[in-house]
Structures are given as structure tokens and as C-alpha cells.
Amino acid sequence: MKKAIIDIGSNTVRLVIYQLMNNQYKQIITQKKTVGLVHYIEDNQLMPDGLKCLTETLCEFKILLENLKVQKSYYFATEALRSILNQKDIINHLSQELNIQIDILSCQEEGLFDYYGMKQSIDFKAGVLIDIGGGSSEVVHFNQNGIIQNQSFPLGSLSLYKEHVKGGIVPTTKELNQIHDHVKKELKDIDVSHYSKHAIGIGGTLRACILVARTVLKKNNIQDTLTKEEIDYLINQLTQNSRKTTQIILRIKPDRIHTLIPGLIILKELIQNLSIQDLTIAYTGLREGYFIKKTE
């Protein structure tokens, strides 16, 4: 039996297909299309061009699912569709055109599924989970009994880029200062009553962070953990607005050239606010957590 999830994000739409093997679902196919929905949002509404792009992408995925005889598919969206004013119109259009139902996750649900997914690859008894997405960031404190605090902020690597970077690919010094100020303002009311020095990071921005760190820090033996000092050094090097910075990101993670630096600024402020000492990357997260809960 095959099942699939389709994750509609602010930057990408991802398809993951699972097959039941030995009484467990195993991932067999994954595809991604960069749609950049956040670029089609104006006055807090998804514009017709954005809806057309999303419809075409979902139609392609649906045809693939039908050809592969996938028996059950789950569609969900996060900040990309969560906050727009014409959400109901978008959902109704996709339902009528493609006969699909899209589950719009609340901020709390997103943090919850992040946690369930993270637990599939990381066995920390306690810590703070950080998910820096394209349109929002989730911060989830947990201990051995489960989630103890679940916070969400309207800070995303792609949305920050869209709002503040006007003329180029990487932010200028002035734009970097604007991004810093924006992030600090949004995080001024973050609840810091729960302390954990160990953070677990999920999502594409933080996975890219590890890859780039190996070159910038000249430490090929970096596995999945960075110290606060290493992260600070990495961010300082990448925000020099130099040609070298651009070349490093383009060589290692070209699809993150415009979003990595805004995402790392979010990370820097979270680490400072939460007194985090190190960050370990998990390679499972929201999609895995959502799929687990849907197939229990």
C-alpha cells in the first residue's frame, strides 16, 4: 500500500510517497518544486498568478500519484496559506479544480507535528526544537514527558528576504540591519521561562547551515552539531556582504542563496534570547510528524 503527503510551504511544495513494508511505512519517492508562494502574496492575499502556479504544481503531483497508484494522499499547508485573507477562496478553488482537500495547520499543530517528526531521528530527553521555515518559525520546548511549551512567530527566511532585500540576492549592510531590527521586534515577547541549553534544528535552512559551516569553519569533520561560538562565527562570516560569501553558498547550497542569511539571523536571535549553547540538526520533522499522526 502506498500513501503520500504534499506539503505546501511558503517557498516549496514537496511530495513524499511512502510504501508499507514489513508493517512499517518507508519513504520511497520525494519530489520538490520551488513555487515561492510568498512572492505572490500582496495585501495579505494570494494573487491569481500564485494560485495558477500552485494549481499547476498540485495537478502535476496528483497525476504522478495516480500513475503510481497511490491509495491515499494528504495535503497540508502552513504559513503559506494560514494567514492570507482569501484562504477560503483558495481552498474552494483547489477542491473544485483538483478534487483535493487541504489541511491548514495552526501554529500549535505545526509545532506539535515538528516535535513528533523530530523524535523519529533524535533521542534527546529534553531540549528546545527550532524550525525556521519560509514564512514562520516554531520554537518548542520539551522534556521526557512531551511538549512543555509551543511558540510560533511570523518570521520566515523567505518572507524576510521578500520584505527587506530589494535590489540583489544577498542583503546589503542596510538591509541586514533592517532584518535584525525586524527579528528583534518580533521576538521581544518570546517566553524564556523554560531553559534548555541544547537545541534541535529542523528544516531546510538549518540543514543548509551545517553544510555551509563545514566550508566556512574549515572543519570537514562537523557532523550534525554546532556550538554557539561556531554559529556566531558562521553568521559573522556570511554577513560580510562579500563576493566570497555568495560563491560559498552558490557552490554548496545554491537554492538557499537568498534565504540562508535571513534564516541565520533568526537563528542568531533565538540562540541569544534562549541562552542556547549548541544546535543539533535533525533530518526528520514536520512532514514525518504529520504522516505519523495521520496513519496511526
Side-chain angles (χ1 to χ4, degrees), residues 120-149:
Q120 302 308 301
S121 59
I122 294 286
D123 189 26
F124 278 34
K125 288 186 171 57
V128 55
L129 169 66
I130 296 174
D131 178 8
I132 298 174
S136 69
S137 294
E138 278 60 52
V139 179
V140 182
H141 282 84
F142 64 92
N143 60 21
Q144 57 194 9
N145 297 317
I147 292 175
I148 55 178
Q149 186 182 59

Side-chain angles (χ1 to χ4, degrees), residues 50-242:
L51 177 56
K52 180 176 182 291
C53 189
L54 177 59
T55 303
E56 291 173 351
T57 298
L58 294 178
C59 182
E60 288 179 24
F61 282 165
K62 186 180 180 188
I63 291 171
L64 176 62
L65 294 173
E66 291 170 352
N67 289 339
L68 294 175
K69 295 180 171 54
V70 174
Q71 287 89 347
K72 181 69 176 176
S73 302
Y74 305 93
Y75 295 77
F76 73 87
T78 51
E79 189 65 22
L81 302 181
R82 183 162 55 215
S83 301
I84 57 173
L85 296 176
N86 58 340
Q87 179 195 110
K88 288 184 179 180
D89 293 337
I90 300 300
I91 299 303
N92 289 338
H93 171 85
L94 294 172
S95 175
Q96 292 170 7
E97 288 290 314
L98 302 176
N99 191 30
I100 61 175
Q101 302 301 315
I102 297 176
D103 186 6
I104 308 294
L105 302 188
S106 69
C107 296
Q108 291 296 301
E109 287 175 323
E110 186 171 356
L112 180 67
F113 294 134
D114 280 341
Y115 169 76
Y116 285 130
M118 176 272 295
K119 295 291 284 183
Q120 302 308 301
S121 59
I122 294 286
D123 189 26
F124 278 34
K125 288 186 171 57
V128 55
L129 169 66
I130 296 174
D131 178 8
I132 298 174
S136 69
S137 294
E138 278 60 52
V139 179
V140 182
H141 282 84
F142 64 92
N143 60 21
Q144 57 194 9
N145 297 317
I147 292 175
I148 55 178
Q149 186 182 59
N150 187 348
Q151 301 181 81
S152 180
F153 302 92
L155 290 169
S157 57
L158 185 58
S159 58
L160 285 173
Y161 172 83
K162 177 192 175 186
E163 183 168 350
H164 296 289
V165 183
K166 303 303 181 182
I169 298 176
V170 296
T172 64
T173 301
K174 180 180 178 180
E175 289 166 344
L176 282 170
N177 291 333
Q178 291 173 346
I179 293 171
H180 272 288
D181 291 343
H182 184 148
V183 174
K184 287 179 179 178
K185 181 179 178 181
E186 290 293 342
L187 293 178
K188 66 181 176 61
D189 295 325
I190 188 171
D191 187 343
V192 295
S193 58
H194 298 282
Y195 170 71
S196 293
K197 66 179 181 178
H198 302 299
I200 300 94
I202 65 174
T205 293
L206 296 183
R207 289 196 296 270
C209 174
I210 282 286
L211 296 177
V212 174
R214 289 173 182 153
T215 294
V216 173
L217 300 174
K218 297 181 173 61
K219 291 177 66 176
N220 292 328
N221 62 337
I222 290 176
Q223 296 302 311
D224 299 322
T225 299
L226 292 171
T227 65
K228 178 183 182 299
E229 292 73 25
E230 288 173 332
I231 294 170
D232 286 341
Y233 180 81
L234 174 66
I235 294 172
N236 287 336
Q237 291 298 304
L238 292 181
T239 53
Q240 296 299 314
N241 194 29
S242 67

Side-chain angles (χ1 to χ4, degrees), residues 247-266:
Q247 290 175 335
I248 289 172
I249 301 175
L250 281 174
R251 186 171 75 251
I252 299 169
K253 200 65 178 170
D255 60 326
R256 295 282 168 180
I257 183 63
H258 57 311
T259 60
L260 181 61
I261 292 174
L264 288 177
I265 291 173
I266 299 173

